[in-house]
Amino acid sequence: MHPSAALDRIKPSPTLAITSRVFELKAQGIDVIGLGAGEPDFDTPDFVKEAAIKAIRDGKTKYTNVDGTPELKAAIVAKFSRDNGLYYATNQITVNVGGKHTLFNAMVATLDAGDEVIVPAPYWVSYPDVVLFTGGVPVIVPAGADQHYKISPAELEAAITPKTKWLILNSPSNPTGAAYSATELRALGEVLIRHPHVWVLADDMYEHILYDDFEFATIAQVCPELYDRTLTMNGCSKAYAMTGWRIGYAGGPAWLIKAMGKLQSQSTSNPCSIAQAAAVAALNGDQSFLRERNAAFQARRDLVVSMLNQTNGMTCPRPEGAFYVYPEFSALIGKRTPKGVVIDNDETMVAYLLDEARVAAVQGAAFGLSPAMRISYATSENLLREACERIQTACAAVS
């Protein structure tokens, strides 16, 4: 017995591996600042917790519909209408065990061996691996810091072939925080309109974490011509600090939603009934707490961007959203640490920062664009300041 060929095509999540390493070091009493986690440090809002407690007391502890309760689907329909001007019927809504599950269901339900999926880089680590798992082919389109980590219409056009089935578009982005404006999305959409065989998975997970009055838009909203071939994906994890509750969802064509439900019926079945009740409260409840949290995130972003841009050899674009920055450090490649180790790639750099500065970040190679690293600023300003000072000291010692 040996692992399947499908499993051999993928690797464990690098971001989760970094988080595990930080837990190990802290358990050993080592003072390490972990900037690798992809989750808010804020707690789930109390009104959401209370809804979950009430659901338990009311006995909502049984199986639900495979891909979501009627109450949650209705809340998602209302959310898409309210926030995005997108109108779906409940049979166009799927509820899954987190956004990663939504992605997995969509790709497994639609891809055959050899089908191509365009994945702009830097990308969330799971996109290419899920495509590879299905036997599909990820087509990576890199966009560097000089492009603010966003692909151009010409680059999208050049990547499309007769085998292209999907474009995955994540805005605001994990790992860069870069967000596409409505104008930029429309320009990409004009390309896709000319290629009717290409579908779009719009990953809007960080929709509500935005700065500097940036106005969020999603592609089916600005390009209604693409509505019938767009899966608009979102979830409760980031905006509502509900990562552990595992609720992702999407809106799209009824046939695709049905296909994803068929797969889910033979895999996980329904998401947790209690988490679904909490998600209803999150989506239907008072959203004003988001402003306060975004203000805190924005102050942290400004601190980190400023300090990293004052760091020897680093360039850090200023993101529009999410809670990550993606500094690049090509100027440090080929230089040596005080112990004589040559910094030949971003994995060496991240290892140096962990071993010498006791700061954990995730190497850019995990996200498909090097030399760079992802830093999450979902932690206190004091810790972020200390972490950036440690990074500055470590980079100043490189020669």
Side-chain angles (χ1 to χ4, degrees):
M1 181 71 75
H2 54 79
S4 69
L7 199 62
D8 282 344
R9 289 194 290 268
I10 67 174
K11 57 189 180 297
S13 167
T15 51
L16 296 179
I18 292 289
T19 303
S20 296
R21 178 75 177 127
V22 169
F23 285 149
E24 289 172 13
L25 291 171
K26 287 186 174 179
Q28 296 167 25
I30 296 170
D31 172 28
V32 59
I33 301 175
L35 302 180
E39 63 180 349
D41 57 317
F42 297 114
D43 199 5
T44 304
D46 285 341
F47 72 91
V48 176
K49 292 182 187 176
E50 290 303 320
I53 292 167
K54 184 176 187 302
I56 293 170
R57 289 183 174 144
D58 289 350
K60 293 183 179 178
T61 56
K62 309 296 185 185
Y63 293 130
T64 74
N65 294 357
V66 163
D67 63 348
T69 63
E71 294 83 5
L72 181 50
K73 286 193 173 189
I76 293 165
V77 165
K79 174 262 176 290
F80 276 130
S81 171
R82 176 182 71 235
D83 295 345
N84 310 116
L86 291 175
Y87 303 100
Y88 296 108
T90 52
N91 70 340
Q92 292 180 272
I93 300 296
T94 179
V95 183
N96 320 106
V97 188
K100 191 177 294 189
H101 189 209
T102 309
L103 167 72
F104 186 89
N105 281 357
M107 295 299 109
V108 172
T110 59
L111 293 179
D112 292 313
D115 286 343
E116 295 176 355
V117 177
I118 296 172
V119 182
Y123 48 68
W124 182 42
V125 294
S126 295
Y127 296 147
D129 273 36
V130 170
V131 173
L132 288 167
F133 178 84
T134 70
V137 179
V139 176
I140 308 303
V141 180
D146 57 327
Q147 297 174 233
H148 206 71
Y149 301 128
K150 292 185 276 191
I151 64 167
S152 69
E155 288 167 328
L156 173 59
E157 184 96 54
I160 294 172
T161 76
K163 291 185 176 181
T164 306
K165 207 151 196 179
W166 288 94
L167 161 68
I168 297 179
L169 202 58
N170 178 208
S171 174
S173 158
N174 175 3
T176 67
Y180 290 87
S181 68
T183 302
E184 290 167 330
L185 286 174
R186 181 70 207 181
L188 294 175
E190 296 285 357
V191 174
L192 295 167
I193 289 166
R194 295 196 294 272
H195 298 276
H197 66 293
V198 182
W199 283 56
V200 190
L201 190 151
D203 181 350
D204 298 348
M205 193 63 70
Y206 295 88
E207 169 186 8
H208 291 300
I209 304 175
L210 295 165
Y211 314 117
D212 306 319
D213 299 320
F214 183 89
E215 290 192 16
F216 177 82
T218 192
I219 196 159
Q221 175 186 23
V222 299
C223 292
E225 303 96 323
L226 299 177
Y227 173 89
D228 288 333
R229 50 187 169 110
T230 299
L231 184 69
T232 304
M233 175 177 121
N234 213 312
C236 295
S237 293
K238 312 301 180 179
Y240 302 101
M242 292 175 68
T243 49
W245 299 74
R246 311 310 302 131
I247 295 291
Y249 60 82
W255 75 263
L256 174 58
I257 299 301
K258 185 177 180 180
M260 291 168 66
K262 180 179 179 181
L263 175 63
Q264 189 158 314
S265 75
Q266 294 290 11
S267 56
T268 64
S269 192
N270 66 271
C272 169
S273 60
I274 306 306
Q276 290 190 72
V280 171
L283 293 173
N284 288 342
D286 183 358
Q287 309 290 300
S288 61
F289 73 95
L290 291 168
R291 286 193 296 274
E292 183 181 333
R293 293 186 177 189
N294 280 3
F297 275 138
Q298 182 168 326
R300 298 170 184 181
R301 177 206 62 174
D302 292 344
L303 170 69
V304 170
V305 169
S306 173
M307 292 188 75
L308 291 179
N309 278 323
Q310 295 172 53
T311 300
N312 175 48
M314 285 201 176
T315 301
C316 185
R318 181 187 180 95
E320 291 88 3
F323 39 73
Y324 311 105
V325 290
Y326 200 76
E328 72 91 28
F329 44 83
S330 51
L332 298 179
I333 298 298
K335 298 196 172 183
R336 292 181 183 271
T337 72
K339 291 183 178 177
V341 177
V342 176
I343 298 176
D344 53 358
N345 57 39
D346 45 27
E347 290 179 329
T348 307
M349 180 66 175
V350 166
Y352 168 59
L353 291 178
L354 184 58
D355 294 340
E356 300 301 325
R358 298 300 186 199
V359 174
V362 185
Q363 66 272 17
F367 308 101
L369 196 76
S370 301
M373 60 184 176
R374 187 190 79 173
I375 285 176
S376 167
Y377 51 86
T379 190
S380 72
E381 284 193 38
N382 287 341
L383 276 178
L384 290 170
R385 187 173 286 105
E386 171 67 22
C388 289
E389 286 172 356
R390 293 183 188 185
I391 292 170
Q392 287 178 339
T393 300
C395 290
V398 170
S399 59

